Amino acid sequence: MLEIDSVGDVLVAHLHGEIDLKVSDALREALDRALERLPVRHLVFDFGDVSFIDSTGLGVVLGRYKKVAGAGGRLGVTGLRPPVRRVLELSGILRISQEFSSWTEAVAVLGGGGADA
Amino acid sequence: MLEIDSVGDVLVAHLHGEIDLKVSDALREALDRALERLPVRHLVFDFGDVSFIDSTGLGVVLGRYKKVAGAGGRLGVTGLRPPVRRVLELSGILRISQEFSSWTEAVAVLGGGGADA
Amino acid sequence: MLNRFRLEFPSRPDNVGLARVTVAAFAAQIDPTLEELDDIKGAVSEAVANAIVHGYDNSPDGVVTVEGVLYGDAIEVFVEDSGKGMEDVGQAMEPEFSTDPERLGLGFSFMQTFMDSVSVDSVPGRGTRVVMRKQFARRH
Amino acid sequence: MLNRFRLEFPSRPDNVGLARVTVAAFAAQIDPTLEELDDIKGAVSEAVANAIVHGYDNSPDGVVTVEGVLYGDAIEVFVEDSGKGMEDVGQAMEPEFSTDPERLGLGFSFMQTFMDSVSVDSVPGRGTRVVMRKQFARRH
Ligand SMILES: Nc1ncnc2c1ncn2[C@@H]1O[C@H](COP(=O)(O)OP(=O)(O)O)[C@@H](O)[C@H]1O
Ligand SMILES: Nc1ncnc2c1ncn2[C@@H]1O[C@H](COP(=O)(O)OP(=O)(O)O)[C@@H](O)[C@H]1O
């Protein structure tokens, strides 16, 4: 369901499989725990291994973003397969996030602070 | 569901997908038509692209073999994934057939008549 | 009518995926595009999650029923619960309306985007029935 | 009891695959091995094909019901038809016994090989119910 990388002030959440009601509680808790424990500012979701996500799953994504946004954190997304891209668009998440071609690129750009300046 | 190759006196039936009641009638008819039309003696089933076969499907295989066996024809099988191998064993088909590592090998051996001598 | 099915299961989160897989395997019988299949899976996921989360307030003791009917070029999907129902279906279906602050309020919007029509019958205290229909592109 | 489902569909050949997919998705919830999953799919395929071919004599107008119950380490699958039933279940379950010359008579043998137990209730003129149980290897 989830692996976490933390590089500098960027937390990267690699999601796996189908993200729906079955995994949403565990996912929310795991992400909140990581956000509390790690000194991160920005949040990147790597959907490369996600075949399906519904509005329950998107709620977890958006809720975690709101937590970091308060402290000036930004949201990156990467690895969007067509059905995932579709609902990220529909939910407006694509508008408030920056899309990258890989999570390492996301880390380089967000973590570098370059686009912040 | 089915593609047919006929090489010399060997008919090769390449099966595809899940072979159950849904496709069994159409498969039986297509194979019977080919056996009538083509001057073949031996029969090879290539299961390389078969993920599932049940006793309904095996009935079609065995029934066609019985047709050619009367005229001295032999049965070859190839491309057996674990679940397919399992039911070929259980049904006894593996005992009355010869297994080959590829359908072209089956054609070479059965068609060459070598093992017949 | 070409084919139909009826699937019943308890209101457990695991079964959202079960409903998705069953409806997708059923819809696949008339050879939809991948995108049509994704749409149907998305709509079913939203409706079943709603039955569990809202209809039964996350209790696993309710029963959710999913039905599918296949026509030559269309599918109808019904998702039903005997849960708490809604007072105001019109309001519930407004984009971003949710009674749960942790949720997006986009379930019904997604269903409407994914399917050609969505209608909802709900009786407070009795339950909710969502009826969705999707026409397939003709390719045959 | 961990989870359960009930699936009903008309006795059409397309639905053998639907039953297989649904039972497999359901069984997957307790993380079986690939071989266990193949066994369950095989057993369901045999029982559902029998309901259609024998129970309803290939008429698409009957209803087949498949139920699954998941325990911590076992699955029970029920396959039921309201078709013609059998006079002699003992004879029907003998290997290679078939009332149809085009068939192998191995359906029940396969079910017994794939599952840990198979029992059959049948009433001539009323229908047949097959109950199968499989224990999963403990890996947790
Ligand atoms: N099956 C249901 N039973 C009771 N209430 C429901 C049901 N489905 C939806 N609702 C109500 O409608 C609201 C909007 O639903 P929806 O658009 O799916 O958004 P969300 O699920 O994110 O809240 C829900 O917050 C809930 O109050
Ligand atoms: N659901 C059923 N309803 C009526 N008769 C059945 C049913 N299932 C099995 N039978 C009878 O039992 C026989 C043996 O079944 P089986 O071992 O599955 O072999 P097969 O299906 O190849 O005939 C069938 O030929 C049929 O006469």
Side-chain angles (χ1 to χ4, degrees), chain A:
Chain A
M1 175 193 73
L2 174 69
E3 271 158 56
I4 285 179
D5 269 314
S6 128
V7 189
D9 62 352
V10 182
L11 187 146
V12 184
H14 305 277
L15 306 182
H16 302 292
E18 312 205 312
I19 310 296
D20 67 7
L21 191 62
K22 181 182 182 174
V23 300
S24 58
D25 280 351
L27 184 61
R28 181 186 305 108
E29 280 157 32
L31 287 169
D32 282 347
R33 238 179 296 127
L35 286 173
E36 259 167 46
R37 218 181 40 224
L38 300 165
V40 291
R41 187 166 172 217
H42 306 292
L43 191 50
V44 172
F45 282 96
D46 172 8
F47 292 98
D49 193 32
V50 172
S51 52
F52 178 85
I53 184 166
D54 65 7
S55 80
T56 303
L58 295 174
V60 175
V61 169
L62 201 63
R64 289 342 94 197
Y65 165 63
K66 283 183 180 161
K67 290 205 165 182
V68 304
R74 290 190 292 146
L75 179 63
V77 296
T78 184
L80 313 183
R81 304 196 208 171
V84 175
R85 174 182 302 282
R86 182 107 188 278
V87 295
L88 285 178
E89 249 166 25
L90 287 174
S91 62
I93 292 178
L94 218 48
R95 277 198 312 274
I96 58 164
S97 61
Q98 199 170 342
E99 184 176 352
F100 298 97
S101 58
S102 70
W103 68 271
T104 48
E105 191 208 10
V107 166
V109 173
L110 294 178
D116 241 19

Side-chain angles (χ1 to χ4, degrees), chain B:
Chain B
M1 175 192 71
L2 175 68
E3 271 158 56
I4 285 178
D5 269 314
S6 128
V7 189
D9 62 352
V10 182
L11 188 146
V12 183
H14 306 277
L15 305 182
H16 301 293
E18 312 206 313
I19 310 296
D20 67 6
L21 191 62
K22 180 182 183 175
V23 300
S24 59
D25 281 350
L27 184 61
R28 181 186 304 107
E29 280 156 32
L31 287 169
D32 282 348
R33 238 180 295 125
L35 286 173
E36 259 167 45
R37 219 181 39 223
L38 300 165
V40 290
R41 189 169 171 213
H42 306 292
L43 190 51
V44 172
F45 283 95
D46 172 8
F47 292 98
D49 193 33
V50 173
S51 52
F52 179 85
I53 183 165
D54 65 9
S55 81
T56 303
L58 296 174
V60 174
V61 169
L62 201 63
R64 289 341 95 198
Y65 164 63
K66 284 183 180 161
K67 290 205 167 183
V68 303
R74 291 191 290 146
L75 180 64
V77 296
T78 184
L80 312 184
R81 303 196 209 169
V84 175
R85 174 182 303 281
R86 181 106 188 276
V87 295
L88 285 178
E89 252 167 23
L90 287 174
S91 63
I93 292 178
L94 218 49
R95 277 199 311 275
I96 58 165
S97 61
Q98 201 171 341
E99 184 177 353
F100 297 97
S101 59
S102 69
W103 68 271
T104 48
E105 192 207 10
V107 165
V109 173
L110 295 178
D116 242 18

